[in-house]
Amino acid sequence: MRLMRFGKKKTPYYRIVVTDSRSPRDGRFIEQVGTYNPRKDPAEVTFKEEKALQWLMKGVKPTLTVRQLLMKSGLTKKVPEGEKA
């Protein structure tokens, strides 16, 4: 699970996607599970909760930034301890 950058120069907007680790940053992805807009004050983060939880239970490893966004949104608390991979 990682960020995919969109937007013009100096105005980033990110989609949070599930992708193969061998794919490039803005390359092919499996599924979009949320968005992140750091330009808003405060930064705007949205997740499709069901899809994000489903992928986390399957064992997807989020990047450091995505992990922090998941913690801020409270989604990591919703994953049962026995289900985390």
Side-chain angles (χ1 to χ4, degrees):
M1 204 179 292
R2 68 165 81 152
L3 297 175
M4 179 184 272
R5 190 183 194 281
F6 286 90
K8 297 185 291 186
K9 186 163 93 173
K10 307 266 185 182
T11 57
Y13 177 80
Y14 299 93
R15 288 184 185 166
I16 302 165
V17 297
V18 176
T19 183
D20 186 353
S21 62
R22 296 169 290 189
S23 297
R25 181 192 70 184
D26 296 335
R28 204 169 63 110
F29 64 94
I30 299 169
E31 186 170 22
Q32 180 182 341
V33 294
T35 59
Y36 170 53
N37 188 355
R39 302 280 298 168
K40 299 228 175 168
D41 188 27
E44 183 180 284
V45 180
T46 59
F47 280 98
K48 296 177 184 172
E49 286 191 29
E50 289 181 20
K51 289 184 180 184
L53 290 173
Q54 178 185 9
W55 281 105
L56 287 170
M57 285 192 264
K58 286 182 181 178
V60 166
K61 294 182 181 177
T63 61
L64 181 60
T65 306
V66 173
R67 188 178 303 131
Q68 290 172 348
L69 294 173
L70 286 165
M71 285 182 197
K72 285 183 183 178
S73 67
L75 279 178
T76 53
K77 294 177 185 173
K78 294 183 181 180
V79 178
E81 280 299 317
E83 298 292 326
K84 290 182 183 176

